[in-house]
């Protein structure tokens, strides 16, 4: 009954104002997974769009973590109450594409008179979110891991900056520990499978899975239990066992061990910039990811998320979605979002604009992620990852590798078991999605 009275009152207000219901702005919902300061930036971004025109209103609604947003979206879709736009992380790409519930961004924008050129986006972003050159989702918050370091600690240990290779960096970390400069020389991030394994394989140009890491088909299989990746995990175990690298305890966020000054380095998403700037009370800087000696490093790969358009809405709603995406793709919007959040600008034009403004001269660490992503031409091993059941597989890999850190099994056995569990999940995904990409 209250809803009825509110509707009636709203209609009366529009008539008094000389407006008809047809002239009312079209409202769409945007479910997202950003909280804290980043959630505030999303609200600010949406307000900018809403204030820029009168035809459409985007309503941003935080729905928890990426997993919670995805689960909520599935339930809403089944109940036919889905939002027009949903934010989903890069790991859910195949889940979204093969769901049959999404509208391709390239097709949506063309139909609504806002053609979008995928070649304007930086290569690692396009390779993640496009199929046959067509964007399936709207790139939004893209990031990549970089090395944050405490410059005071490095100076105290006798170093100007971290070495570029692992062969240079590892002795520096050992020295920081041995000289008692800090309690731990490096803290392991909670998403180390992304930063220490996937990005390690991309930067060092070695395969993580067959079929170009899944880009060429669902019949891909993991192969990260061979070669340099075994050496990488053995290095990580050695650093953990010696106390040089610390595992964050339950309830403690790894980046806090860096910003508190307890740990001297962390490899973390460039989106951690806001946290580091706000909390670190010491001289800090950042550097590109370390790589193996003798290797010409390739580009790193992205993390973060994109915006997906869901089926089942009216043409007017899709006009609103396209207008919002067109606003997001504008260079000015991209530059603002990059500078306000720490996420990378997803278009080349936005990067060039920020550079021309002198932004990176004043904020040099903000350019590191962009340069690292745009480094050289992506190879088959650095295009990105297209893995079915990726979220579940990631949990299994972390369980096995963490077991090696804790001495439950040898590194090689842990990686063999991780590959076996991952491949079992890949085969289930392939069977359920036979005939799909």
């Amino acid at each position: 009954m209250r809803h009825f009275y509110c509707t009636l009152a709203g209609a009366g207000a529009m008539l008094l104002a000389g407006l008809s219901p047809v002239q009312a702005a079209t409202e769409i919902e945007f479910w997202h997974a950003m909280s804290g300061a980043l959630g505030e930036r999303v609200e600010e971004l949406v307000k900018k769009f809403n204030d820029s025109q009168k035809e459409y209103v985007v309503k941003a609604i935080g729905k928890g973590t990426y997993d919670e947003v995805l689960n909520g979206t599935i339930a809403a879709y089944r109940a036919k109450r889905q939002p027009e736009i949903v934010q989903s992380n890069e790991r859910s790409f195949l889940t979204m594409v093969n769901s049959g519930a999404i509208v391709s961004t390239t097709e949506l924008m063309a139909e609504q008179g806002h053609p979008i050129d995928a070649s304007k986006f930086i290569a690692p972003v396009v390779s993640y979110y496009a199929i046959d050159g067509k964007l399936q989702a709207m790139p939004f918050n893209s990031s990549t891991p970089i090395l944050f370091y405490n410059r005071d600690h490095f100076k105290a240990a006798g170093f100007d900056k971290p070495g570029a290779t692992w062969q240079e960096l590892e002795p520096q970390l050992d020295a920081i520990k041995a000289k008692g400069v800090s309690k731990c020389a490096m803290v392991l991030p909670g998403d180390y499978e992304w930063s220490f394994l996937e990005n390690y394989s991309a930067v060092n140009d070695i395969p993580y899975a067959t079929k170009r890491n899944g880009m060429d088909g669902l019949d891909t299989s993991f192969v990260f239990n061979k070669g340099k990746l075994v050496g990488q995990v053995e290095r990580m175990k050695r650093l953990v066992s010696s106390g040089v690298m610390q595992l964050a305890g339950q309830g403690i966020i790894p980046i806090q061990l860096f910003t508190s000054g307890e740990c001297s380095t962390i490899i973390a998403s460039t989106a951690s910039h806001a946290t580091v700037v706000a909390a670190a009370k010491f001289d800090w800087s950042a550097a590109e990811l370390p790589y193996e000696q003798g290797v010409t490093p390739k580009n790193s790969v992205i993390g973060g998320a994109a915006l997906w358009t869901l089926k089942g809405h009216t043409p007017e709603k899709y006009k609103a979605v396209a207008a919002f995406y067109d606003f997001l793709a504008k260079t000015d919007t991209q530059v603002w979002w990059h500078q306000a959040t720490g996420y990378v600008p997803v278009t080349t034009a936005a990067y060039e604009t920020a550079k021309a403004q002198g932004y990176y001269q004043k904020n040099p660490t903000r350019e590191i992620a962009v340069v690292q992503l745009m480094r050289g031409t992506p190879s088959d091993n650095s295009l990105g990852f297209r893995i079915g059941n990726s979220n579940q597989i990631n949990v299994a890999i972390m369980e096995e590798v963490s077991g090696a850190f804790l001495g439950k099994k040898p590194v090689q056995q842990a990686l063999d078991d991780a590959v076996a569990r991952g491949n079992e999940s890949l085969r289930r995904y392939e069977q359920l999605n036979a005939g799909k990409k």
Side-chain angles (χ1 to χ4, degrees):
M1 182 62 76
R2 182 180 178 188
H3 175 71
F4 172 78
Y5 284 132
C6 289
T7 302
L8 185 62
M14 283 188 289
L15 289 172
L16 287 172
L19 296 173
S20 71
V22 175
Q23 292 172 298
T26 301
E27 182 175 298
I28 58 173
E29 288 191 0
F30 163 27
W31 289 9
H32 67 84
M34 313 294 270
S35 59
L38 291 175
E40 293 173 4
R41 296 294 82 74
V42 169
E43 293 289 344
E44 194 173 350
L45 175 70
V46 166
K47 186 176 186 304
K48 286 176 178 289
F49 170 72
N50 291 339
D51 290 346
S52 70
Q53 45 73 49
K54 298 183 183 302
E55 295 178 84
Y56 314 111
V57 173
V58 175
K59 186 177 179 183
I61 304 173
K63 288 286 186 178
T65 64
Y66 285 128
D67 285 346
E68 289 169 341
V69 173
L70 182 60
N71 291 335
T73 300
I74 293 171
Y77 194 83
R78 288 172 177 165
K80 298 182 178 180
R81 300 178 65 180
Q82 69 274 22
E84 288 77 14
I85 302 171
V86 63
Q87 181 190 27
S88 194
N89 67 2
E90 91 286 354
R91 292 188 179 280
S92 63
F93 179 85
L94 282 182
T95 298
M96 297 301 289
V97 167
N98 291 329
S99 69
I102 64 104
V103 178
S104 155
T105 294
T106 292
E107 292 177 6
L108 169 79
M109 299 301 279
E111 289 172 358
Q112 300 302 329
H114 299 288
I116 192 165
D117 185 353
S119 68
K120 303 294 184 184
F121 293 80
I122 61 177
V125 170
V126 175
S127 61
Y128 240 112
Y129 294 122
I131 294 178
D132 298 331
K134 295 181 178 179
L135 287 169
Q136 303 301 300
M138 183 66 192
F140 184 55
N141 55 309
S142 292
S143 60
T144 200
I146 60 174
L147 173 68
F148 290 91
Y149 67 96
N150 185 317
R151 193 144 51 187
D152 291 336
H153 287 180
F154 271 74
K155 287 179 180 175
F159 309 112
D160 291 332
K161 60 182 180 180
T165 67
W166 276 108
Q167 285 68 31
E168 295 168 309
L169 177 62
E170 189 173 354
Q172 292 177 328
L173 298 177
D174 289 339
I176 288 172
K177 171 70 175 177
K179 293 179 179 180
V181 173
S182 66
K183 290 184 179 178
C184 77
M186 176 173 276
V187 56
L188 190 67
D191 56 356
Y192 69 78
E193 192 266 344
W194 174 59
S195 51
F196 275 76
L197 303 184
E198 289 182 351
N199 266 284
Y200 174 87
S201 70
V203 168
N204 290 283
D205 200 14
I206 52 179
Y208 196 75
T210 60
K211 298 276 181 175
R212 297 197 303 160
N213 291 332
M215 293 287 177
D216 288 344
L218 301 184
D219 54 341
T220 180
S221 297
F222 290 114
V223 292
F224 58 77
N225 57 335
K226 303 172 184 175
K228 290 179 180 176
L229 268 160
V230 178
Q232 168 74 338
V233 178
E234 287 177 338
R235 176 191 292 124
M236 294 166 70
K237 177 177 169 52
R238 185 165 62 246
L239 292 173
V240 170
S241 299
S242 63
V244 172
M245 180 186 284
Q246 183 169 327
L247 306 177
Q250 191 170 12
I252 298 177
I253 301 172
I255 193 69
Q256 292 176 337
L257 292 178
F258 174 71
T259 58
S260 68
E262 187 169 331
C263 294
S264 302
T265 63
I266 183 171
I267 291 177
S269 165
T270 186
S272 300
H273 260 105
T275 301
V276 174
V277 169
K281 307 303 180 188
F282 49 82
D283 186 14
W284 64 273
S285 189
E288 295 178 5
L289 290 176
Y291 51 89
E292 296 294 336
Q293 191 172 32
V295 166
T296 300
K298 303 295 290 185
N299 62 286
S300 58
V301 297
I302 63 166
L307 306 187
W308 296 83
T309 311
L310 298 180
K311 290 182 176 177
H313 297 290
T314 65
E316 284 303 313
K317 298 278 189 178
Y318 287 128
K319 285 183 182 178
V321 173
F324 183 51
Y325 288 175
D326 186 58
F327 171 80
L328 294 180
K330 291 185 183 303
T331 299
D332 288 349
T333 307
Q334 281 293 316
V335 171
W336 177 84
W337 178 248
H338 165 50
Q339 296 178 358
T341 63
Y343 286 112
V344 298
V346 294
T347 63
T348 304
Y351 168 59
E352 295 297 339
T353 299
K355 189 192 304 187
Q357 292 174 345
Y359 178 71
Y360 300 122
Q361 290 179 341
K362 297 177 182 175
N363 305 277
T365 61
R366 301 287 185 132
E367 189 177 19
I368 293 169
V370 193
V371 171
Q372 187 175 269
L373 281 170
M374 297 175 68
R375 186 168 52 198
T377 302
S379 70
D380 288 352
N381 299 319
S382 68
L383 278 173
F385 301 87
R386 194 157 291 171
I387 303 296
N389 286 338
S390 182
N391 288 320
Q392 298 94 316
I393 290 173
N394 186 46
V395 171
I397 292 173
M398 298 270 283
E399 286 177 354
E400 296 296 340
V401 174
S402 294
F405 295 160
L406 298 174
K408 294 180 179 178
K409 58 178 68 176
V411 166
Q412 186 63 61
Q413 185 63 54
L415 289 173
D416 290 346
D417 291 346
V419 164
R421 290 177 64 183
N423 286 341
E424 286 178 9
S425 190
L426 284 175
R427 298 291 74 80
R428 288 195 296 272
Y429 187 86
E430 181 186 7
Q431 187 174 11
L432 285 172
N433 294 277
K436 299 179 181 177
K437 290 192 175 183

